Amino acid sequence: MPPTRFLGSLSTPRVDISIDTGNLFFNHALEGFLKIGSVAATRSIAEDSFKAINGGKLSKHCLERSLKKMCKEGAYWGSVAGVYVGMEYGVGRIRGTWDWKNAMIGGALTGALVSAATNNNKDQIVSDALTGGAVATASVLLNYLT
């Protein structure tokens, strides 16, 4: 029998999705929605499975609740990611350059928009905008380190 080899590398998992809507802005937003939405749904179902296994309870009601939570979490976080990716792409197109400032502005706009949609407190909207900008900027800057 011929010798066999395993060639590969261990790195972070990467999923590439290619969807062509005919508009680059929508392509980026939809890609962000699908990627992060699927991660959020997977996280939700893994968390609920762990709770069901540890609690020793698995019923039809538990499964229905898990499915509803999975869909809700996937849709919410997918929407937030789609808005962020779209904002970042739009800011890049407007500015004509692609750097960390796009992430900062896109994160701040997304934080403010999501907060305004879920809150009425103006101080919280400003705080969420600052947090969104800071987290997005930190994420991009950390990617430069690796």
Side-chain angles (χ1 to χ4, degrees), residues 111-112 115-130:
S115 184
T118 58
N119 272 328
N120 289 328
N121 185 354
K122 291 180 183 178
D123 293 336
Q124 187 66 36
I125 294 171
V126 172
S127 174
D128 290 343
L130 292 172

Side-chain angles (χ1 to χ4, degrees), residues 25 35 49 72:
F25 174 80
K35 283 183 178 180
S49 298
K72 181 181 173 185

Side-chain angles (χ1 to χ4, degrees), residues 7 14 25-26 40 57 78 80-81 84 90 103 111 129:
L7 298 174
R14 182 175 175 90
F25 174 80
F26 291 128
K57 295 185 260 181
V80 171
Y84 167 71

Side-chain angles (χ1 to χ4, degrees), residues 19-94:
I19 298 173
D20 187 13
T21 62
N23 184 325
L24 286 175
F25 174 80
F26 291 128
N27 290 351
H28 287 286
L30 186 58
E31 181 181 348
F33 175 85
L34 292 173
K35 283 183 178 180
I36 300 303
S38 62
V39 169
T42 303
R43 183 200 144 274
S44 176
I45 199 69
E47 182 180 273
D48 286 347
S49 298
F50 179 77
K51 287 179 184 175
I53 291 170
N54 271 355
K57 295 185 260 181
L58 188 59
S59 64
K60 183 178 177 183
H61 175 70
C62 179
L63 291 173
E64 287 174 355
R65 188 170 24 100
S66 294
L67 182 61
K68 286 179 184 178
K69 183 180 173 193
M70 181 180 74
C71 293
K72 181 181 173 185
E73 291 287 318
Y76 176 78
W77 287 109
S79 298
V80 171
V83 169
Y84 167 71
V85 171
M87 291 284 191
E88 184 182 17
Y89 177 77
V91 169
R93 289 288 304 249
I94 291 168

Side-chain angles (χ1 to χ4, degrees), residues 103-104 107-108 128-139:
M104 179 185 65
D128 290 343
L130 292 172
T131 302
V135 169
T137 304
S139 172

